[in-house]
């Protein structure tokens, strides 16, 4: 599997958010509006520059290509979930609480109108622009899965859960969360689920996951001899 577990392998999607009103922020806002309105192929850098109120040279000074600008837009959209999956955010929580937080953040993000709109653009354009699909996958799904897998790897090493393959366990957990919901949202068959329904789906997935991957009977790092 190609999901990264190491920081050095992760795509750079956690760069500082451009300051409000800055040229990069203006370009990203314009790019988002144009990409989601017209799709990737029909959007050009000249139009993005005009909408942003900057020169085309300024756009290229911050984003080297249309593909790079699209990837930056995806990364900006993913920043909220990336922050919720940061190591310092999860480490102090019990495993059930951490998995619940991961599940709620992931599912609400995946089913949100913004994420759905970006996903539809990528699916429609990727056959003609394969690099677009690769950049989207690296900036969004691969990054998110890598962070979750790294959390599970750390939890296993600390003896909190039992698993052999954190990547496979991540796919299992996310598969239980997604179910048919994502496809129904993409097809416009359902609105975003209300919070109570989303929370119930997450709780069920966490329950099932912890049945399959319980805490080991003997901790991975048993305490040393007690002092007498």
């Amino acid at each position: 599997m190609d999901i990264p577990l190491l920081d050095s392998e992760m795509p750079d999607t956690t760069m500082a958010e451009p300051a409000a009103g800055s040229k990069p922020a203006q370009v990203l806002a314009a790019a988002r509006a144009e990409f989601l309105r017209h799709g990737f192929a029909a959007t050009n850098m000249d139009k993005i520059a005009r909408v942003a109120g900057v020169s085309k040279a300024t756009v290229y000074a911050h984003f080297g290509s249309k593909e790079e600008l699209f990837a930056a837009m995806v990364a900006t959209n993913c920043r909220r979930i990336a922050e919720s999956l940061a190591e310092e955010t999860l480490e102090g929580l019990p495993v059930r609480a951490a998995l619940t937080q991961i599940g709620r953040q992931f599912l609400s993000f995946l089913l949100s109108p913004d994420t759905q709109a970006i996903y539809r653009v990528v699916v429609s354009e990727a056959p003609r622009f394969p690099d677009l699909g690769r950049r989207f996958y690296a900036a969004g799904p691969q990054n998110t899965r890598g962070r979750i897998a790294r959390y599970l790897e750390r939890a296993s090493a600390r003896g909190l859960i039992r698993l052999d393959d954190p990547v496979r366990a991540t796919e299992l957990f996310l598969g239980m969360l997604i179910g048919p919901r994502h496809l129904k949202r993409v097809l416009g068959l359902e609105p975003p689920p209300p919070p109570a329904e989303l929370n119930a789906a997450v709780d069920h997935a966490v329950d099932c996951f912890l049945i399959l991957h319980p805490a080991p009977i003997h901790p991975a790092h048993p305490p040393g001899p007690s002092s007498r």
Side-chain angles (χ1 to χ4, degrees):
M1 292 189 181
D2 59 354
I3 299 173
L5 296 180
L6 302 175
D7 283 332
S8 60
E9 298 171 326
M10 300 286 277
D12 185 9
T13 61
T14 56
M15 64 183 71
E17 182 120 17
S22 67
K23 293 292 193 296
Q26 290 173 228
V27 172
L28 280 170
R32 180 184 180 282
E34 291 301 302
F35 283 134
L36 297 188
R37 182 179 297 118
H38 303 295
F40 182 79
T43 297
N44 62 67
M45 299 293 257
D46 291 299
K47 180 65 180 298
I48 289 172
R50 287 197 300 272
V51 173
V54 302
S55 69
K56 187 175 177 180
T58 297
V59 175
Y60 278 106
H62 295 287
F63 307 97
S65 67
K66 189 165 71 167
E67 290 82 1
E68 183 178 324
L69 179 53
F70 189 90
M73 182 196 72
V74 172
T76 298
N77 190 57
C78 293
R79 186 168 287 112
R80 176 174 57 84
I81 190 169
E83 291 170 352
S84 74
L85 300 179
E87 182 174 343
E88 59 272 17
T89 303
L90 299 174
E91 289 307 304
L93 298 175
V95 170
R96 179 176 291 275
L99 290 174
T100 299
Q101 175 170 306
I102 290 170
R104 289 180 180 178
Q105 291 286 347
F106 173 80
L107 207 51
S108 62
F109 171 80
L110 181 71
L111 302 179
S112 70
D114 281 357
T115 301
Q116 291 291 300
I118 293 171
Y119 180 83
R120 291 188 184 101
V121 170
V122 174
V123 170
S124 67
E125 304 278 17
R128 288 181 293 167
F129 302 96
D131 190 54
L132 182 69
R134 286 190 289 269
R135 287 175 179 268
F136 168 80
Y137 187 76
Q142 186 175 27
N143 185 47
T144 299
R145 284 165 165 76
R147 289 176 181 275
I148 296 171
R150 289 178 61 237
Y151 166 73
L152 294 177
E153 184 179 52
R154 294 192 303 271
S156 177
R158 292 164 56 197
L160 302 178
I161 54 176
R162 184 173 67 242
L163 53 86
D164 297 322
D165 187 340
V167 175
R168 189 179 299 275
T170 296
E171 293 298 337
L172 174 66
F173 182 53
L174 296 184
M176 289 191 291
L177 288 171
I178 295 169
R181 298 177 188 88
H182 184 233
L183 180 58
K184 288 182 178 180
R185 283 286 292 128
V186 170
L187 297 176
L189 301 179
E190 290 184 353
E197 181 182 328
L198 185 147
N199 291 345
V202 171
D203 290 345
H204 181 68
V206 171
D207 287 342
C208 292
F209 185 83
L210 290 178
I211 290 172
L212 292 170
H213 298 287
I217 297 175
H218 301 292
H221 300 291
S226 58
S227 57
R228 297 184 182 276

